[in-house]
PDB file of all heavy atoms in Angstrom:
ATOM      1  N   ILE A  34      -3.245  35.123   5.120  1.00 97.00           N
ATOM      2  CA  ILE A  34      -3.945  35.182   3.856  1.00 97.00           C
ATOM      3  C   ILE A  34      -4.692  33.845   3.560  1.00 97.00           C
ATOM      4  O   ILE A  34      -5.855  33.873   3.113  1.00 97.00           O
ATOM      5  CB  ILE A  34      -2.962  35.510   2.697  1.00 97.00           C
ATOM      6  CG1 ILE A  34      -2.446  36.956   2.882  1.00 97.00           C
ATOM      7  CG2 ILE A  34      -3.619  35.357   1.323  1.00 97.00           C
ATOM      8  CD1 ILE A  34      -1.321  37.374   2.012  1.00 97.00           C
ATOM      9  N   GLY A 132     -11.719  34.634  -7.692  1.00 98.00           N
ATOM     10  CA  GLY A 132     -10.449  34.455  -6.986  1.00 98.00           C
ATOM     11  C   GLY A 132     -10.087  35.634  -6.110  1.00 98.00           C
ATOM     12  O   GLY A 132     -10.778  36.670  -6.076  1.00 98.00           O
ATOM     13  N   THR A 133      -9.017  35.453  -5.378  1.00 98.00           N
ATOM     14  CA  THR A 133      -8.357  36.516  -4.549  1.00 98.00           C
ATOM     15  C   THR A 133      -6.933  36.609  -5.009  1.00 98.00           C
ATOM     16  O   THR A 133      -6.289  35.543  -5.167  1.00 98.00           O
ATOM     17  CB  THR A 133      -8.439  36.156  -3.096  1.00 98.00           C
ATOM     18  OG1 THR A 133      -9.816  36.051  -2.672  1.00 98.00           O
ATOM     19  CG2 THR A 133      -7.730  37.175  -2.213  1.00 98.00           C
ATOM     20  N   ILE A 134      -6.438  37.835  -5.213  1.00 98.00           N
ATOM     21  CA  ILE A 134      -5.026  37.958  -5.713  1.00 98.00           C
ATOM     22  C   ILE A 134      -4.272  38.792  -4.654  1.00 98.00           C
ATOM     23  O   ILE A 134      -4.830  39.756  -4.163  1.00 98.00           O
ATOM     24  CB  ILE A 134      -4.985  38.677  -7.072  1.00 98.00           C
ATOM     25  CG1 ILE A 134      -5.942  38.051  -8.038  1.00 98.00           C
ATOM     26  CG2 ILE A 134      -3.540  38.634  -7.596  1.00 98.00           C
ATOM     27  CD1 ILE A 134      -6.044  38.825  -9.369  1.00 98.00           C
ATOM     28  N   PHE A 135      -3.024  38.426  -4.364  1.00 98.00           N
ATOM     29  CA  PHE A 135      -2.274  39.223  -3.348  1.00 98.00           C
ATOM     30  C   PHE A 135      -0.827  39.388  -3.749  1.00 98.00           C
ATOM     31  O   PHE A 135      -0.267  38.583  -4.508  1.00 98.00           O
ATOM     32  CB  PHE A 135      -2.356  38.572  -1.981  1.00 98.00           C
ATOM     33  CG  PHE A 135      -1.774  37.211  -1.900  1.00 98.00           C
ATOM     34  CD1 PHE A 135      -0.466  36.980  -1.545  1.00 98.00           C
ATOM     35  CD2 PHE A 135      -2.596  36.071  -2.147  1.00 98.00           C
ATOM     36  CE1 PHE A 135       0.086  35.694  -1.468  1.00 98.00           C
ATOM     37  CE2 PHE A 135      -2.047  34.789  -2.034  1.00 98.00           C
ATOM     38  CZ  PHE A 135      -0.732  34.620  -1.735  1.00 98.00           C
ATOM     39  N   ALA A 162       3.885  36.623  -3.968  1.00 98.00           N
ATOM     40  CA  ALA A 162       2.639  36.928  -4.580  1.00 98.00           C
ATOM     41  C   ALA A 162       1.908  35.631  -4.817  1.00 98.00           C
ATOM     42  O   ALA A 162       2.501  34.499  -4.827  1.00 98.00           O
ATOM     43  CB  ALA A 162       2.842  37.645  -5.924  1.00 98.00           C
ATOM     44  N   GLY A 163       0.606  35.729  -5.001  1.00 98.00           N
ATOM     45  CA  GLY A 163      -0.165  34.543  -5.202  1.00 98.00           C
ATOM     46  C   GLY A 163      -1.633  34.797  -5.429  1.00 98.00           C
ATOM     47  O   GLY A 163      -2.046  35.982  -5.502  1.00 98.00           O
ATOM     48  N   TYR A 164      -2.381  33.731  -5.539  1.00 98.00           N
ATOM     49  CA  TYR A 164      -3.817  33.878  -5.665  1.00 98.00           C
ATOM     50  C   TYR A 164      -4.546  32.690  -5.095  1.00 98.00           C
ATOM     51  O   TYR A 164      -3.904  31.631  -4.854  1.00 98.00           O
ATOM     52  CB  TYR A 164      -4.242  34.072  -7.191  1.00 98.00           C
ATOM     53  CG  TYR A 164      -3.828  32.922  -8.069  1.00 98.00           C
ATOM     54  CD1 TYR A 164      -4.586  31.734  -8.177  1.00 98.00           C
ATOM     55  CD2 TYR A 164      -2.646  32.990  -8.848  1.00 98.00           C
ATOM     56  CE1 TYR A 164      -4.165  30.721  -9.040  1.00 98.00           C
ATOM     57  CE2 TYR A 164      -2.266  31.970  -9.668  1.00 98.00           C
ATOM     58  CZ  TYR A 164      -3.048  30.845  -9.761  1.00 98.00           C
ATOM     59  OH  TYR A 164      -2.654  29.805 -10.625  1.00 98.00           O
ATOM     60  N   VAL A 165      -5.779  32.892  -4.837  1.00 98.00           N
ATOM     61  CA  VAL A 165      -6.660  31.782  -4.423  1.00 98.00           C
ATOM     62  C   VAL A 165      -7.743  31.702  -5.485  1.00 98.00           C
ATOM     63  O   VAL A 165      -8.282  32.731  -5.859  1.00 98.00           O
ATOM     64  CB  VAL A 165      -7.273  32.049  -3.057  1.00 98.00           C
ATOM     65  CG1 VAL A 165      -8.162  30.872  -2.634  1.00 98.00           C
ATOM     66  CG2 VAL A 165      -6.193  32.279  -2.009  1.00 98.00           C
ATOM     67  N   ILE A 166      -8.006  30.490  -5.963  1.00 98.00           N
ATOM     68  CA  ILE A 166      -9.035  30.341  -6.935  1.00 98.00           C
ATOM     69  C   ILE A 166     -10.188  29.517  -6.292  1.00 98.00           C
ATOM     70  O   ILE A 166      -9.908  28.452  -5.704  1.00 98.00           O
ATOM     71  CB  ILE A 166      -8.517  29.667  -8.235  1.00 98.00           C
ATOM     72  CG1 ILE A 166      -9.651  29.362  -9.239  1.00 98.00           C
ATOM     73  CG2 ILE A 166      -7.770  28.369  -7.964  1.00 98.00           C
ATOM     74  CD1 ILE A 166      -9.134  29.014 -10.633  1.00 98.00           C
ATOM     75  N   MET A 172      -8.098  26.477  -4.511  1.00 98.00           N
ATOM     76  CA  MET A 172      -6.621  26.313  -4.481  1.00 98.00           C
ATOM     77  C   MET A 172      -5.973  27.623  -4.141  1.00 98.00           C
ATOM     78  O   MET A 172      -6.410  28.653  -4.511  1.00 98.00           O
ATOM     79  CB  MET A 172      -6.129  25.926  -5.850  1.00 98.00           C
ATOM     80  CG  MET A 172      -6.052  24.425  -6.149  1.00 98.00           C
ATOM     81  SD  MET A 172      -5.262  24.183  -7.757  1.00 98.00           S
ATOM     82  CE  MET A 172      -3.536  24.316  -7.313  1.00 98.00           C
ATOM     83  N   MET A 173      -4.832  27.509  -3.449  1.00 98.00           N
ATOM     84  CA  MET A 173      -3.970  28.683  -3.282  1.00 98.00           C
ATOM     85  C   MET A 173      -2.679  28.380  -3.991  1.00 98.00           C
ATOM     86  O   MET A 173      -2.071  27.309  -3.846  1.00 98.00           O
ATOM     87  CB  MET A 173      -3.707  28.946  -1.786  1.00 98.00           C
ATOM     88  CG  MET A 173      -2.756  30.057  -1.516  1.00 98.00           C
ATOM     89  SD  MET A 173      -2.953  30.645   0.200  1.00 98.00           S
ATOM     90  CE  MET A 173      -1.372  31.503   0.439  1.00 98.00           C
ATOM     91  N   VAL A 174      -2.260  29.312  -4.817  1.00 98.00           N
ATOM     92  CA  VAL A 174      -0.988  29.177  -5.586  1.00 98.00           C
ATOM     93  C   VAL A 174      -0.154  30.378  -5.195  1.00 98.00           C
ATOM     94  O   VAL A 174      -0.631  31.532  -5.228  1.00 98.00           O
ATOM     95  CB  VAL A 174      -1.301  29.163  -7.106  1.00 98.00           C
ATOM     96  CG1 VAL A 174       0.005  29.185  -7.922  1.00 98.00           C
ATOM     97  CG2 VAL A 174      -2.156  27.997  -7.481  1.00 98.00           C
ATOM     98  N   TYR A 175       1.094  30.149  -4.774  1.00 98.00           N
ATOM     99  CA  TYR A 175       1.890  31.307  -4.422  1.00 98.00           C
ATOM    100  C   TYR A 175       3.387  31.054  -4.685  1.00 98.00           C
ATOM    101  O   TYR A 175       3.788  29.903  -4.904  1.00 98.00           O
ATOM    102  CB  TYR A 175       1.657  31.734  -2.951  1.00 98.00           C
ATOM    103  CG  TYR A 175       2.473  30.934  -1.957  1.00 98.00           C
ATOM    104  CD1 TYR A 175       3.726  31.405  -1.483  1.00 98.00           C
ATOM    105  CD2 TYR A 175       2.035  29.687  -1.483  1.00 98.00           C
ATOM    106  CE1 TYR A 175       4.472  30.631  -0.579  1.00 98.00           C
ATOM    107  CE2 TYR A 175       2.754  28.942  -0.588  1.00 98.00           C
ATOM    108  CZ  TYR A 175       3.982  29.425  -0.132  1.00 98.00           C
ATOM    109  OH  TYR A 175       4.746  28.677   0.768  1.00 98.00           O
ATOM    110  N   SER A 176       4.175  32.160  -4.662  1.00 97.00           N
ATOM    111  CA  SER A 176       5.592  32.021  -4.796  1.00 97.00           C
ATOM    112  C   SER A 176       6.244  33.034  -3.856  1.00 97.00           C
ATOM    113  O   SER A 176       5.728  34.158  -3.765  1.00 97.00           O
ATOM    114  CB  SER A 176       6.051  32.232  -6.214  1.00 97.00           C
ATOM    115  OG  SER A 176       7.465  32.210  -6.253  1.00 97.00           O
ATOM    116  N   VAL A 181       6.952  28.013  -7.835  1.00 98.00           N
ATOM    117  CA  VAL A 181       5.544  28.296  -7.666  1.00 98.00           C
ATOM    118  C   VAL A 181       4.893  27.006  -7.203  1.00 98.00           C
ATOM    119  O   VAL A 181       5.057  25.969  -7.820  1.00 98.00           O
ATOM    120  CB  VAL A 181       4.917  28.788  -9.002  1.00 98.00           C
ATOM    121  CG1 VAL A 181       3.438  29.062  -8.842  1.00 98.00           C
ATOM    122  CG2 VAL A 181       5.647  29.980  -9.533  1.00 98.00           C
ATOM    123  N   ILE A 200       5.280  24.342  -9.936  1.00 98.00           N
ATOM    124  CA  ILE A 200       4.561  24.502 -11.192  1.00 98.00           C
ATOM    125  C   ILE A 200       5.472  25.202 -12.234  1.00 98.00           C
ATOM    126  O   ILE A 200       6.074  26.270 -11.952  1.00 98.00           O
ATOM    127  CB  ILE A 200       3.309  25.363 -10.993  1.00 98.00           C
ATOM    128  CG1 ILE A 200       2.334  24.676 -10.044  1.00 98.00           C
ATOM    129  CG2 ILE A 200       2.625  25.655 -12.334  1.00 98.00           C
ATOM    130  CD1 ILE A 200       1.139  25.508  -9.598  1.00 98.00           C
ATOM    131  N   VAL A 250      -8.026  35.426 -12.543  1.00 98.00           N
ATOM    132  CA  VAL A 250      -7.427  34.306 -11.799  1.00 98.00           C
ATOM    133  C   VAL A 250      -7.710  32.970 -12.517  1.00 98.00           C
ATOM    134  O   VAL A 250      -6.786  32.147 -12.678  1.00 98.00           O
ATOM    135  CB  VAL A 250      -8.030  34.241 -10.382  1.00 98.00           C
ATOM    136  CG1 VAL A 250      -7.626  32.949  -9.675  1.00 98.00           C
ATOM    137  CG2 VAL A 250      -7.531  35.414  -9.517  1.00 98.00           C
ATOM    138  N   SER A 251      -8.922  32.757 -12.983  1.00 98.00           N
ATOM    139  CA  SER A 251      -9.268  31.485 -13.571  1.00 98.00           C
ATOM    140  C   SER A 251      -8.602  31.341 -14.929  1.00 98.00           C
ATOM    141  O   SER A 251      -8.045  30.242 -15.290  1.00 98.00           O
ATOM    142  CB  SER A 251     -10.788  31.365 -13.702  1.00 98.00           C
ATOM    143  OG  SER A 251     -11.390  31.775 -12.533  1.00 98.00           O
ATOM    144  N   PHE A 253      -5.885  32.825 -15.950  1.00 98.00           N
ATOM    145  CA  PHE A 253      -4.464  32.733 -15.719  1.00 98.00           C
ATOM    146  C   PHE A 253      -4.129  31.321 -15.237  1.00 98.00           C
ATOM    147  O   PHE A 253      -3.155  30.695 -15.722  1.00 98.00           O
ATOM    148  CB  PHE A 253      -4.025  33.757 -14.690  1.00 98.00           C
ATOM    149  CG  PHE A 253      -2.543  33.690 -14.358  1.00 98.00           C
ATOM    150  CD1 PHE A 253      -1.604  34.292 -15.092  1.00 98.00           C
ATOM    151  CD2 PHE A 253      -2.125  32.943 -13.243  1.00 98.00           C
ATOM    152  CE1 PHE A 253      -0.231  34.197 -14.835  1.00 98.00           C
ATOM    153  CE2 PHE A 253      -0.780  32.803 -12.947  1.00 98.00           C
ATOM    154  CZ  PHE A 253       0.188  33.476 -13.710  1.00 98.00           C
ATOM    155  N   HIS A 254      -4.877  30.833 -14.264  1.00 98.00           N
ATOM    156  CA  HIS A 254      -4.580  29.507 -13.657  1.00 98.00           C
ATOM    157  C   HIS A 254      -4.608  28.406 -14.716  1.00 98.00           C
ATOM    158  O   HIS A 254      -3.716  27.597 -14.815  1.00 98.00           O
ATOM    159  CB  HIS A 254      -5.599  29.231 -12.600  1.00 98.00           C
ATOM    160  CG  HIS A 254      -5.376  27.927 -11.891  1.00 98.00           C
ATOM    161  ND1 HIS A 254      -4.342  27.713 -11.025  1.00 98.00           N
ATOM    162  CD2 HIS A 254      -6.076  26.764 -11.891  1.00 98.00           C
ATOM    163  CE1 HIS A 254      -4.387  26.491 -10.535  1.00 98.00           C
ATOM    164  NE2 HIS A 254      -5.403  25.871 -11.108  1.00 98.00           N
ATOM    165  N   ARG A 255      -5.687  28.397 -15.538  1.00 98.00           N
ATOM    166  CA  ARG A 255      -5.770  27.382 -16.620  1.00 98.00           C
ATOM    167  C   ARG A 255      -4.559  27.472 -17.534  1.00 98.00           C
ATOM    168  O   ARG A 255      -3.926  26.470 -17.874  1.00 98.00           O
ATOM    169  CB  ARG A 255      -7.043  27.586 -17.436  1.00 98.00           C
ATOM    170  CG  ARG A 255      -7.229  26.535 -18.526  1.00 98.00           C
ATOM    171  CD  ARG A 255      -8.200  27.023 -19.609  1.00 98.00           C
ATOM    172  NE  ARG A 255      -7.783  28.366 -20.070  1.00 98.00           N
ATOM    173  CZ  ARG A 255      -8.552  29.479 -19.947  1.00 98.00           C
ATOM    174  NH1 ARG A 255      -9.718  29.415 -19.385  1.00 98.00           N
ATOM    175  NH2 ARG A 255      -8.068  30.621 -20.314  1.00 98.00           N
ATOM    176  N   LEU A 257      -1.636  28.820 -17.008  1.00 98.00           N
ATOM    177  CA  LEU A 257      -0.403  28.470 -16.317  1.00 98.00           C
ATOM    178  C   LEU A 257      -0.159  26.950 -16.361  1.00 98.00           C
ATOM    179  O   LEU A 257       0.924  26.497 -16.600  1.00 98.00           O
ATOM    180  CB  LEU A 257      -0.487  28.917 -14.823  1.00 98.00           C
ATOM    181  CG  LEU A 257       0.712  28.674 -13.928  1.00 98.00           C
ATOM    182  CD1 LEU A 257       1.858  29.618 -14.290  1.00 98.00           C
ATOM    183  CD2 LEU A 257       0.360  28.865 -12.444  1.00 98.00           C
ATOM    184  N   ILE A 258      -1.230  26.197 -16.096  1.00 98.00           N
ATOM    185  CA  ILE A 258      -1.100  24.741 -16.045  1.00 98.00           C
ATOM    186  C   ILE A 258      -1.023  24.128 -17.434  1.00 98.00           C
ATOM    187  O   ILE A 258      -0.192  23.269 -17.706  1.00 98.00           O
ATOM    188  CB  ILE A 258      -2.320  24.112 -15.295  1.00 98.00           C
ATOM    189  CG1 ILE A 258      -2.537  24.756 -13.932  1.00 98.00           C
ATOM    190  CG2 ILE A 258      -2.205  22.588 -15.260  1.00 98.00           C
ATOM    191  CD1 ILE A 258      -1.613  24.326 -12.852  1.00 98.00           C
ATOM    192  N   PRO A 284       1.220  40.743  -9.454  1.00 98.00           N
ATOM    193  CA  PRO A 284       1.350  39.410  -8.818  1.00 98.00           C
ATOM    194  C   PRO A 284       1.342  38.280  -9.865  1.00 98.00           C
ATOM    195  O   PRO A 284       2.097  37.320  -9.740  1.00 98.00           O
ATOM    196  CB  PRO A 284       0.123  39.344  -7.888  1.00 98.00           C
ATOM    197  CG  PRO A 284      -0.664  40.586  -8.074  1.00 98.00           C
ATOM    198  CD  PRO A 284       0.128  41.528  -8.881  1.00 98.00           C
ATOM    199  N   MET A 285       0.473  38.450 -10.894  1.00 98.00           N
ATOM    200  CA  MET A 285       0.473  37.381 -11.934  1.00 98.00           C
ATOM    201  C   MET A 285       1.729  37.335 -12.717  1.00 98.00           C
ATOM    202  O   MET A 285       2.277  36.245 -13.072  1.00 98.00           O
ATOM    203  CB  MET A 285      -0.719  37.617 -12.859  1.00 98.00           C
ATOM    204  CG  MET A 285      -2.107  37.455 -12.191  1.00 98.00           C
ATOM    205  SD  MET A 285      -2.176  36.036 -11.042  1.00 98.00           S
ATOM    206  CE  MET A 285      -3.926  35.790 -10.959  1.00 98.00           C
ATOM    207  N   LEU A 288       4.362  35.569 -10.627  1.00 98.00           N
ATOM    208  CA  LEU A 288       4.156  34.084 -10.658  1.00 98.00           C
ATOM    209  C   LEU A 288       4.556  33.500 -11.998  1.00 98.00           C
ATOM    210  O   LEU A 288       5.239  32.473 -12.028  1.00 98.00           O
ATOM    211  CB  LEU A 288       2.686  33.789 -10.404  1.00 98.00           C
ATOM    212  CG  LEU A 288       2.193  34.072  -8.967  1.00 98.00           C
ATOM    213  CD1 LEU A 288       0.686  33.955  -8.884  1.00 98.00           C
ATOM    214  CD2 LEU A 288       2.814  33.042  -7.974  1.00 98.00           C
TER     215      LEU A 288
END
Side-chain angles (χ1 to χ4, degrees):
I34 291 169
T133 298
I134 311 174
F135 61 91
Y164 59 83
V165 180
I166 177 167
M172 269 187 83
M173 177 161 159
V174 175
Y175 83 95
S176 176
V181 179
I200 298 171
V250 168
S251 314
F253 177 85
H254 181 72
R255 181 202 51 243
L257 181 73
I258 307 284
M285 295 317 202
L288 289 169

